[in-house]
Amino acid sequence: MGYRVAVVGATGNVGREMLNILAEREFPVDDIVALASRKSLGTEVSFGDRTLRTEDLDTFDFTGWDMALFAIGSDATKKYAPAAARAGCVVIDNSSLYRYDPDVPLIVPEVNPDAIEGYARKNIIANPNCSTAQMVVALKPLHDRARIRRVVVSTYQSVSGSGKEAMDELWNQTKGLYVPGQEVEPSVYPKQIAFNVIPHIDVFLDDGQTKEEWKMVAETKKILDPAIKVTATCVRVPVFVGHSEAVNIEFEEDLDEAEARDILREAPGILVVDKREPGGYVTPVECVGEYATYVSRIRQDPTIDNGLNIWVVSDNLRKGAALNAVQIAELLGRRVLRKGDVPAEAAN
């Protein structure tokens, strides 16, 4: 016996990745439906070797469905997620709507799997921000060993985090710079993204942070440890897919780089690529389509006691969004619903 699964927002970048990953990881599905807004009704999407036609989210009845993976904006989620939850379908939400709700668990399965038990309060589970997800996967095993006091992170985030329109803007701006008459003015972003970097993701807050930076602080505290101090600078870069992060960590206890490297090599969800030679590290190009969170450039920070620097790279459409949602679904199946067996290899 398997699960009845709905993918909401199935025509978007993340929704399509959710369907791909459910198929790749052989999630035990008895029935699956692709849902989208009325304007996308009938659009064909792939699920393994099957083709699904999207159905109308507005009229869909979630009664009898086990779980719904939501990949739509917060406004639409606010309308449809509570209805699905009331119908008995567990919602796994990729938007930011429920991440900071104390009655909704915010989960990265490699980091805080026990939080899954709190799903029943609202029948909703939140998926974290893409930049937070990959960072806490790398921080968790180090925190368990030496207790993290403070994190300083600078992100290098790809345009796919802003959606298809942003990817199109990067592509068209890049071409336009070389073809007279085809120049493209910024519309998705406030400044040119082609051959440029923009230190501004989401809206500005009163204290000078952007909301993306605030998210990394708040979510790390909720997922990993409220005592950890976090400061972030989030930057959009002209990369199509794959987020990178330079992470500086201050520990309460001594932890040398050799032991940290060994710990990370053994940690779930992480691949260490750390050779001190040209090319001995991972860049976004290599991580696209992969499940892992990659860690490179592991080295001591000699300017502080118990300091370490690491470089963290991951496919933001996968671990930063769709993969993490599917891993939550697997965790929900193994620990709570227990209706169908998740394959052993998918448990990692």
Side-chain angles (χ1 to χ4, degrees):
M1 179 183 286
Y3 297 93
R4 302 188 75 206
V5 179
V7 175
V8 181
T11 59
N13 288 341
V14 174
R16 289 176 186 272
E17 277 297 293
M18 287 174 171
L19 288 165
N20 289 338
I21 293 168
L22 285 165
E24 287 173 12
R25 292 171 74 91
E26 299 182 346
F27 188 83
V29 168
D30 265 2
D31 197 3
I32 189 161
V33 62
L35 301 176
S37 63
R38 197 158 292 172
K39 67 180 181 180
S40 299
L41 194 63
T43 300
E44 292 186 345
V45 292
S46 297
F47 174 65
D49 58 2
R50 293 169 55 187
T51 298
L52 308 176
R53 286 186 177 272
T54 57
E55 298 184 23
D56 186 5
L57 171 60
D58 202 45
T59 59
F60 188 75
D61 183 0
F62 286 93
T63 303
W65 292 80
D66 295 301
M67 55 184 82
L69 280 60
F70 271 60
I72 54 178
S74 293
D75 290 343
T77 298
K78 189 174 184 178
K79 177 180 179 181
Y80 297 106
R86 284 194 299 271
C89 178
V90 181
V91 171
I92 300 170
D93 176 34
N94 194 61
S95 81
S96 62
L97 182 63
Y98 293 105
R99 290 175 188 162
Y100 318 107
D101 186 328
D103 291 327
V104 174
L106 179 65
I107 294 177
V108 176
E110 297 95 332
V111 178
N112 61 336
D114 292 344
I116 196 77
E117 304 298 337
Y119 88 97
R121 290 193 290 269
K122 287 193 173 179
N123 233 24
I124 296 171
I125 301 165
N127 207 23
N129 187 43
C130 48
S131 50
T132 306
Q134 69 186 63
M135 183 175 75
V136 296
V137 168
L139 294 181
K140 167 65 173 174
L142 302 176
H143 183 58
D144 286 347
R145 160 61 182 81
R147 310 304 296 173
I148 294 171
R149 176 182 289 125
R150 182 171 184 258
V151 173
V152 181
V153 55
S154 297
T155 72
Y156 306 75
Q157 294 179 227
S158 66
V159 296
S160 57
S162 301
K164 181 180 181 299
E165 293 80 8
M167 298 175 77
D168 290 343
E169 182 157 301
L170 173 58
W171 174 253
N172 292 325
Q173 271 186 2
T174 302
K175 288 193 301 178
L177 288 171
Y178 289 99
V179 182
Q182 293 189 19
E183 296 84 359
V184 176
E185 291 297 314
S187 59
V188 176
Y189 295 117
K191 298 198 177 204
Q192 174 184 311
I193 185 61
F195 303 100
N196 198 18
V197 299
I198 303 173
H200 169 199
I201 300 178
D202 213 322
V203 298
F204 278 96
L205 305 178
D206 290 342
D207 63 357
Q209 291 187 99
T210 64
K211 194 171 181 182
E212 183 83 357
E213 292 157 356
W214 176 85
K215 288 174 187 176
M216 292 195 74
V217 176
E219 293 175 20
T220 300
K221 288 176 176 289
K222 183 172 180 179
I223 295 167
L224 190 54
D225 189 335
I228 295 175
K229 296 178 181 179
V230 182
T231 183
T233 300
C234 294
V235 182
R236 193 70 71 186
V237 298
V239 170
F240 284 105
V241 178
H243 288 357
S244 305
E245 298 169 348
V247 187
N248 177 265
I249 312 163
E250 181 183 355
F251 297 94
E252 293 183 4
E253 303 171 25
D254 179 63
L255 176 63
D256 67 39
E257 62 191 40
E259 184 181 358
R261 192 174 292 108
D262 289 342
I263 289 169
L264 290 166
R265 282 190 176 123
E266 296 300 318
I270 293 174
L271 278 178
V272 173
V273 179
D274 189 29
K275 297 179 181 179
R276 293 177 175 179
E277 60 187 43
Y281 41 79
V282 170
T283 64
V285 169
E286 289 103 55
C287 81
V288 175
E290 299 294 328
Y291 288 148
T293 294
Y294 291 88
V295 180
S296 306
R297 302 295 317 282
I298 303 165
R299 62 205 189 278
Q300 303 293 155
D301 175 2
T303 69
I304 56 172
D305 293 335
N306 306 329
L308 201 69
N309 289 301
I310 61 175
W311 172 253
V312 183
V313 181
S314 189
D315 182 330
N316 57 294
L317 297 179
R318 290 205 152 206
K319 185 55 188 170
L323 172 60
N324 200 73
V326 172
Q327 288 176 306
I328 291 171
E330 293 168 350
L331 180 65
L332 184 70
R334 288 195 304 274
R335 291 209 180 184
V336 180
L337 302 183
R338 297 180 182 175
K339 188 176 177 182
D341 292 331
V342 176
E345 65 271 17
N348 296 321

